[in-house]
Amino acid sequence: MSSFLIEGGCRLSGDIYPQGAKNEALQIICATLLTPEKVEVSNVPDILDIRNLIELLRETGVKIERLSGEAYSFQADDINTDYIYTDEYACKSAALRGSVLTVGPLLGRFGRAILPQIGGDKIGRRRLDTHITGLQALGAELNLDAANNFCEITASRLKGNYMLLDEASVTGTANIIMAATLAEGVTTIYNAACEPYIQQLCNMLNAMGAKISGIGSNLLTIEGVDRLKGAKHTVLPDMIEVGSFIGMAAMTSSDITIKNTAYEKLGIIPDSFRRLGIKIEKRGDNIYVPAQDKYQIETFMDGSIMTIADAPWPGLTPDLLSVMLVVATQAEGSVLIHQKMFESRLFFVDKLIDMGARIILCDPHRATVIGHGNRLRLRSSNMVSPDIRAGIALLIAAMNASGTSRIDNIEQIDRGYQRIEERLNRIGAKITRQN
């Protein structure tokens, strides 16, 4: 197990570049299973989850070549579908939640896939019903092996169908889209997720020969084709990293420029941080965050306490609520953070309370934060990272704290943030990795 030692109170200054988007890259890499031709993908983040997925596909038979530091080619022309029935595959895929995105491509192209028990963040229930009911609507059959904790999904040939999803699941929508591209006939998906990463997936599939319309809306129409071809694709910058860097700047009273953010794809994220009182300037495709000694949380027009909640796109992504919560601890004023999707994601706030933050955990989904107004820095502490997003929030808290903090289990942070300590140290942080 590795740890970070963080010397708090260091101000940051300079330029920082966000990595490629983790959640998009997971979808795009799995989509390369849909064609025997070569697919080139650039701006791939060098993070643990992506490395594990690439290794899983390599073991399945995908020919993978690293073209440069952040560019790869994938060619799935000799897939060993028997491998997905092995204990080795079950073990590796179960340890990586992103592996669920292989189900749609494998089912669409080869007619069978395995859905093992999925790991990943411990942030509450993350059910797969939307994936399964969507694939069943396309004609897939399920064989549940409860004793061995996995599910076999088969179909001789998927057939297009109309479906109304019970929730706008991003990974569920992605899996259904990928399966439907090779289905017979027309598939209509209503209440589809429409995040930029889903838009990116649809655009790449269309470049490969798919026929998808309604991109960017929650109503997608997919005309099935017999075969997809190769293509080239560039992954967007990671919007969660962009938001994390905004939060770091605010908590450390720092002056930084976040470069190449794909600003028009950030949606409500910049304005959500502005509601916490953080100054943000758009400079072309960059975001400039000036140093602020204090920032004031807005109230609603009637003077009531501000509420910041997650919602399906174009609402605020739930992945940033942990960051916004920790940023609010040093703001002037109060805010209610409402995490609707995951009932265990706010449990890390007890670590912030130990550091001196004023937080009332109302229930598993809601926390009220009463800011210090930057008059009192947080105290250093020893912590353990429970998941990716709580991990980065604790890192931000430690960067504000007086003294030196320690965060264990930083493999959780490594799953989503590429060499984060190296990049932050280059602009003034003092973070040491201990193995």
Side-chain angles (χ1 to χ4, degrees):
M1 180 182 292
S2 299
S3 304
F4 279 150
L5 293 181
I6 306 102
E7 183 178 330
C10 298
R11 292 201 176 195
L12 311 179
S13 180
D15 299 341
I16 192 163
Y17 291 79
Q19 68 189 28
K22 166 186 177 280
N23 291 337
E24 178 189 342
L26 291 170
Q27 297 175 19
I28 294 298
I29 290 171
C30 290
T32 65
L33 290 166
L34 286 165
T35 176
E37 298 186 22
K38 186 176 292 187
V39 179
E40 294 183 9
V41 184
S42 57
N43 201 30
V44 176
D46 185 17
I47 57 178
L48 187 59
D49 274 11
I50 296 298
R51 292 197 295 269
N52 287 343
L53 179 61
I54 287 174
E55 180 60 25
L56 182 67
L57 294 194
R58 196 190 306 274
E59 294 295 326
T60 310
V62 181
K63 299 181 180 70
I64 302 173
E65 180 183 358
R66 194 165 191 170
L67 305 176
S68 66
E70 297 178 340
Y72 291 80
S73 70
F74 301 85
Q75 188 164 12
D77 60 346
D78 188 21
I79 297 298
N80 178 13
T81 56
D82 291 335
Y83 176 69
I84 67 175
Y85 287 87
T86 64
D87 291 340
E88 182 182 3
Y89 179 86
C91 181
K92 289 184 177 181
S93 60
L96 173 65
R97 184 165 184 84
S99 66
V100 71
L101 289 161
T102 63
V103 172
L106 289 172
L107 183 65
R109 185 173 167 205
F110 300 105
R112 59 178 182 165
I114 291 293
L115 184 63
Q117 183 182 24
I118 300 297
D121 290 325
K122 305 303 181 186
I123 57 177
R125 291 171 295 172
R126 304 177 75 178
R127 60 189 182 89
L128 299 175
D129 300 50
T130 304
H131 302 246
I132 294 171
T133 56
L135 296 174
Q136 284 179 314
L138 297 176
E141 295 183 358
L142 275 68
N143 179 22
L144 180 63
D145 186 340
N148 294 305
N149 234 348
F150 77 89
C151 178
E152 181 186 33
I153 307 175
T154 59
S156 56
R157 177 72 192 271
L158 297 175
K159 295 186 182 297
N161 199 354
Y162 169 86
M163 62 188 77
L164 172 60
L165 302 187
D166 62 337
E167 65 171 342
S169 164
V170 177
T171 53
T173 300
N175 245 338
I176 297 165
I177 290 170
M178 289 187 282
T181 57
L182 295 176
E184 180 183 335
V186 177
T187 299
T188 303
I189 309 173
Y190 199 19
N191 195 30
C194 52
E195 272 78 354
Y197 304 148
I198 290 289
Q199 298 174 37
Q200 287 280 97
L201 173 66
C202 291
N203 288 331
M204 188 188 86
L205 291 173
N206 279 349
M208 294 168 65
K211 297 179 180 180
I212 306 172
S213 58
I215 299 172
S217 75
N218 68 347
L219 180 60
L220 294 175
T221 301
I222 305 165
E223 298 179 47
V225 297
D226 292 328
R227 181 184 176 91
L228 295 176
K229 59 184 181 180
K232 294 183 179 181
H233 180 81
T234 300
V235 174
L236 286 174
D238 196 309
M239 67 173 71
I240 314 303
E241 264 215 344
V242 172
S244 300
F245 294 148
I246 294 172
M248 287 177 190
M251 283 287 281
T252 58
S253 301
S254 296
D255 181 294
I256 68 171
T257 299
I258 309 166
K259 308 283 283 187
N260 301 342
T261 64
Y263 190 92
E264 302 305 324
K265 298 290 188 180
L266 294 177
I268 201 174
I269 290 173
D271 284 339
S272 296
F273 280 100
R274 291 187 180 106
R275 292 166 74 182
L276 295 179
I278 300 170
K279 296 177 182 177
I280 299 171
E281 297 178 20
K282 179 180 181 295
R283 297 183 174 180
D285 200 32
N286 304 329
I287 290 176
Y288 172 64
V289 186
Q292 291 178 253
D293 289 330
K294 61 178 64 178
Y295 44 99
Q296 174 78 45
I297 299 173
E298 296 178 1
T299 60
F300 286 115
M301 291 182 180
D302 63 359
S304 58
I305 185 173
M306 176 62 63
T307 298
I308 293 181
D310 58 336
W313 187 269
L316 181 64
T317 170
D319 285 346
L320 275 175
L321 283 189
S322 299
V323 171
M324 302 192 79
L325 185 149
V326 75
V327 169
T329 65
Q330 291 301 307
E332 296 265 5
S334 302
V335 63
L336 175 67
I337 301 293
H338 190 175
Q339 167 62 265
K340 298 176 183 177
M341 292 184 63
F342 304 114
E343 68 272 14
S344 301
R345 209 167 212 173
L346 297 183
F347 287 165
F348 79 101
V349 302
D350 62 334
K351 309 299 182 187
L352 300 178
I353 294 171
D354 290 343
M355 298 174 76
R358 296 189 294 178
I359 304 172
I360 301 168
L361 186 59
C362 308
D363 56 44
H365 291 276
R366 296 177 301 162
T368 300
V369 185
I370 302 96
H372 282 302
N374 224 14
R375 292 181 296 273
L376 180 65
R377 281 168 56 189
L378 300 176
R379 297 186 294 267
S380 59
S381 181
N382 294 332
M383 301 166 278
V384 178
S385 173
D387 64 76
I388 300 174
R389 307 310 173 187
I392 203 67
L394 293 175
L395 177 61
I396 294 171
M399 292 170 70
N400 168 270
S402 56
T404 300
S405 298
R406 178 189 182 96
I407 303 177
D408 295 327
N409 194 32
I410 60 170
E411 288 79 7
Q412 286 287 354
I413 301 175
D414 289 338
R415 287 179 50 220
Y417 292 84
Q418 174 178 309
R419 296 186 297 278
I420 188 66
E421 80 280 11
E422 296 177 20
R423 291 188 290 154
L424 293 177
N425 287 344
R426 282 198 289 268
I427 60 172
K430 292 184 179 178
I431 305 170
T432 304
R433 178 184 291 263
Q434 290 190 334
N435 294 315

